[in-house]
Structure formats: C-alpha cells, structure tokens
C-alpha cells in the first residue's frame, strides 16, 4: 500500500511534473537515481580512457584536435552528472570512493581495449550512437536536474557520433588495409555496444520500478532493437558487415532480427573480469591519488576564507 506522500508523488510523476531536489521523494527513488546518475557520471569519466589512449597517435593534427575536444566533452558530461547526483545529497568524493572500491559500476563497454585508430571511428559511431539512443529519452526523465543535464549532453553526443562515423567513412573508403581495420573494429565493438543497453528485460531487476517512476522511459530491449534498426543501414552505407549471421529484416515486425550478445561475458565484465577492468580502475585510482594535493589545497583555502569572514 502506498502512503499519502507516495500517492501524491506518483500522481505528480504520472502528470509529467518534474521532481526537483527539495521536493519530497521516496527513499528508493532517491537511491535509484543516485545509483543511475552516479554510474552514468563514472561512465563518462572512465569513458575518456579508451579514446585518450589515441590522442597522441591521431593520424593528423585535425583528427587530434577533434578527438581532444571530444574527450574533453566527456569530462564535462561527467561533471554535470556528478553535480546532478549531488543535488540528491551525496558528495562527489563519496561517489568516487565507491567507484574505486568496486561498490559502484560504470558502463561495461569501457572495459574493452581500443587497439587501432579505426576503433576511434567505431567508438564514436557505435558507443556514442548507443549512448544517444539511451539518453534522448532520458531528456524526459522525471528528475529535473538529470533531465536538464541530458539536453546539453545529447547535443554534444550527436556531434561525437558524427565524428566517429566520419572516421569510419574515411577508413571504409580508403585502402584495402584501412577497410580491413574498419571491419575489424566493427567486429570487436558490435556485441559490447549491444551490451550497453543492459541485460535483457527478463533479467533487468530495476526496469519495472524505474519505469513506473519515469527514471527510465524505455526498456533495455526496446532501446537495443531501435539501435540495431538504425545502425544496420549505416553499416550498409559504409560497405561493412555486421558480424551476425542471423541479422535479417523481419517484414512482419518491421524490425531487424539479430543475435543477442554473450550474456555470460557481460556478467563477467560486470564482476570485474573484462579485458581492461583492472587497468581502468588503476588509472582512476592514480588520478585520484595524484590529485589529492589539489583537493587539500582548495579545502585549506576555503577554510581560510571562511575564517577570515568570521573574524
Ligand atoms: N554496464 O536492472 P538493470 C557514455 C547493471 S554512455 C555496466 O537493467 P538499470 C557516453 C545495472 O547497473 C554509458 N553495468 O539496470 C560515452 C544493474 O546493477 P546495479 C553510460 C550495467 O539501471 C560515450 C544491473 O546491471 N550511460 O558513457 C550495464 O535499470 C563514449 C541490472 O541491470 C548510462 O549510464 C552496463 N552496460 O538499467 C562516454 C545511461 N547494464 O546498479 C565516453 C543511464 C546494466 O544494481 C565515450 N543509465 N548494468 O549494481 C541507464 O539508462 C541504465 O542504468 C541502464 C541499466 C540502461 C544502463
């Protein structure tokens, strides 16, 4: 049975009235948002690492400038999202400590390596493509600060997707060796990109409640299907082959039928056993430790200023 507060809250959500930081909200709504927004923020920050890997090796000055700007955008996205999470009564330090101790997740996709320059194309095209597919509906999520953060993030994300596709186009239209690199990147990134949408609906523990609260707008499988439908013609245009023998347009449903990713692999990556989990967390831990003197300096400065005001 719902309490009066809960009933009133649900009515508000049903009427598409945004929930704001000072409004009453159920404890589990707050917890779910902190989990999802926090994990989303961590994904943006950890997500800088696979592309950061190629900044010093970009093939031209122009490509380097574009990649640098993209990776800086991800840092900005992480910061908006940490701020949105902070409106729910947690601190960024607390969220970071939970990430570093393995108590909070980040997207599984960033535990895969970026082996060649073509991976910069595949990441932009597929990973940012999947991210937008998930984030466009989140602009209508029920929590005000999260939904507003999504508006700007989606604009930048669509630029990211286009720059990735532009790299793929160049590679796919290039020499035989470049085409081969582009195909290889697609082969390696395809299934990990499908995993970004989360487990299949029957295994998604949070979807039902999150959708009732309009934290999530679509199910994981709905968004995965939409992504496949949009991406197949893009691959055809590039002249590349999606690594799935079962991929076929289904006249009856109007959707592409496709093979599911290896869900055992997905759950292993979530447990910390993906190819790059250890590297990613070590890189974050080092950045956090190396930045300790900055945080301490800022705190000392703030305390000094506060003391000067009192005096
Ligand atoms: N990776 O019950 P559900 C980006 C976990 S885009 C890791 O279905 P939910 C941009 C899930 O947390 C990527 N863990 O969960 C970029 C839960 O475990 P928990 C980030 C995953 O929350 C591009 C458990 O499995 N985007 O960074 C994954 O209802 C390029 C059960 O799953 C967002 O975070 C996964 N793929 O649905 C940056 C979008 N999937 O927490 C750089 C916002 C599921 O109980 C370069 N988030 N899990 O321990 C969401 O929409 C949702 O949280 C889902 C998962 C759809 C990801």
């Amino acid at each position: 049975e719902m309490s009066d507060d809960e009933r009133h809250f649900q009515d508000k959500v049903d009427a598409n009235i945004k929930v704001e930081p000072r409004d009453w909200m159920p404890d589990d709504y707050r917890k779910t948002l902190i989990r999802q927004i926090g994990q989303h923020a961590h994904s943006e920050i950890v997500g800088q690492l696979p592309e950061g890997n190629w900044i010093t090796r970009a093939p031209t000055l122009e490509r380097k400038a574009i990649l640098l700007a993209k990776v800086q955008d991800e840092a900005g996205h992480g910061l908006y999202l940490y701020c949105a999470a902070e409106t729910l009564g947690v601190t960024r330090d607390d969220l970071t400590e939970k990430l570093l101790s393995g108590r909070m997740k980040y997207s599984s996709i960033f535990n895969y390596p970026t082996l060649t320059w073509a991976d910069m194309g595949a990441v932009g095209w597929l990973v940012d493509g999947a991210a937008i597919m998930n984030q466009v509906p989140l602009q209508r999520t029920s929590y005000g600060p999260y939904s507003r953060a999504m508006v700007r993030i989606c604009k930048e994300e669509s630029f990211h997707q286009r720059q990735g596709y532009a790299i793929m186009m160049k590679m796919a239209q290039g020499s035989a060796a470049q085409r081969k690199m582009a195909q290889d990147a697609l082969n390696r990134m395809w299934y990990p990109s499908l995993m970004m949408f989360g487990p299949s609906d029957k295994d998604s523990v949070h979807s039902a409640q999150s959708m009732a609260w309009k934290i999530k707008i679509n199910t994981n499988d709905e968004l995965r299907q939409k992504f496949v439908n949009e991406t197949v013609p893009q691959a055809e245009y590039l002249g590349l082959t999606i690594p799935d023998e079962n991929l076929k347009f289904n006249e009856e449903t109007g959707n592409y039928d496709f093979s599911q990713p290896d869900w055992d692999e997905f759950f292993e990556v979530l447990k910390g056993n993906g190819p790059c989990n250890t590297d990613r967390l070590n890189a974050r831990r080092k950045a956090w430790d190396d930045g300790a003197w900055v945080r301490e300096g800022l705190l000392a400065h703030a305390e000094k200023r506060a003391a000067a005001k009192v005096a």
Side-chain angles (χ1 to χ4, degrees):
E1 262 308 284
M2 279 190 192
S3 67
D4 283 351
D5 277 342
E6 283 166 348
R7 179 78 264 156
H8 175 74
F9 178 83
Q10 189 64 51
D11 287 346
K12 188 162 128 180
V13 168
D14 291 344
N16 292 324
I17 298 168
K18 295 280 181 232
V19 179
E20 295 299 338
R22 287 188 183 79
D23 298 348
W24 185 88
M25 62 186 84
D27 279 347
D28 280 343
Y29 177 86
R30 187 185 298 276
K31 267 193 213 141
T32 301
L33 276 173
I34 292 171
R35 178 182 64 78
Q36 181 168 319
I37 302 173
Q39 294 187 156
H40 194 165
H42 294 327
S43 302
E44 299 283 356
I45 299 299
V46 177
Q48 294 180 99
L49 297 169
E51 287 170 299
N53 184 35
W54 281 91
I55 291 173
T56 55
R57 290 173 288 165
T60 67
L61 183 60
E62 189 191 11
R63 292 288 180 201
K64 186 181 177 122
I66 295 170
L67 188 61
L68 194 57
K70 182 201 189 276
V71 173
Q72 282 180 337
D73 284 351
E74 311 299 355
H77 298 175
L79 298 186
Y80 307 147
L81 288 165
Y82 284 127
C83 288
E86 283 184 319
T87 65
L88 292 157
V90 284
T91 66
R92 197 169 136 192
D93 285 10
D94 180 44
L95 294 173
T96 304
E97 274 153 19
K98 287 205 168 93
L99 169 73
L100 297 181
S101 62
R103 282 173 296 156
M104 268 183 102
K105 297 187 167 84
Y106 56 90
S107 183
S108 51
I109 186 72
F110 303 117
N111 293 306
Y112 291 85
T114 45
L115 302 178
T116 71
W117 174 253
D119 288 10
M120 298 303 94
V123 167
W125 173 34
L126 301 172
V127 176
D128 286 276
I132 308 174
M133 198 52 83
N134 164 281
Q135 288 169 358
V136 164
L138 288 179
Q139 294 176 105
R140 290 181 286 121
T141 193
S142 57
Y143 189 56
Y146 191 28
S147 76
R148 290 187 289 271
M150 280 300 119
V151 174
R152 174 154 172 197
I153 290 178
C154 282
K155 289 202 172 93
E156 293 179 347
E157 219 77 276
S158 60
F159 153 69
H160 295 171
Q161 198 266 355
R162 293 297 294 266
Q163 69 84 37
Y165 196 70
I167 293 175
M168 288 308 270
M169 201 123 77
K170 197 84 177 173
M171 302 286 289
Q173 292 168 355
S175 65
Q178 285 173 314
R179 264 198 306 283
K180 202 165 157 238
M181 274 169 78
Q183 181 62 53
D184 171 62
L186 169 56
N187 291 349
R188 285 181 289 103
M189 294 290 173
W190 176 251
Y191 289 103
S193 299
L194 294 186
M195 292 174 189
M196 287 176 70
F197 297 95
S200 65
D201 291 352
K202 64 174 173 28
D203 296 319
S204 170
V205 286
H206 300 297
S207 279
Q209 182 60 71
S210 287
M211 287 176 72
W213 278 329
K214 296 189 185 169
I215 290 175
K216 279 169 86 163
I217 310 294
N218 303 93
T219 74
N220 301 353
D221 286 333
E222 279 168 12
L223 291 174
R224 191 167 13 250
Q225 180 71 62
K226 267 186 88 174
F227 173 75
V228 172
N229 290 352
E230 264 195 27
T231 308
V232 172
Q234 295 171 359
E236 283 170 358
Y237 187 78
L238 292 171
L240 299 178
T241 309
I242 289 175
D244 180 359
E245 288 177 358
N246 300 317
L247 190 72
K248 193 168 175 284
F249 189 72
N250 183 328
E251 298 285 349
E252 243 165 72
T253 61
N255 291 315
Y256 281 90
D257 294 336
F258 63 97
S259 301
Q260 291 294 312
D262 178 349
W263 290 118
D264 292 337
E265 177 183 319
F266 172 76
F267 288 113
E268 278 303 309
V269 173
L270 260 54
K271 275 194 264 169
N273 302 326
C276 300
N277 295 60
T278 307
D279 280 0
R280 300 303 185 224
L281 277 186
N282 283 346
R284 290 312 308 149
R285 203 168 286 122
K286 180 173 186 310
W288 184 246
D289 292 345
D290 288 352
W293 69 274
V294 180
R295 294 191 300 277
E296 280 160 20
L298 286 172
L299 268 178
H301 179 66
E303 275 161 17
K304 232 160 116 183
R305 277 199 8 192
K309 253 188 211 153
V310 172

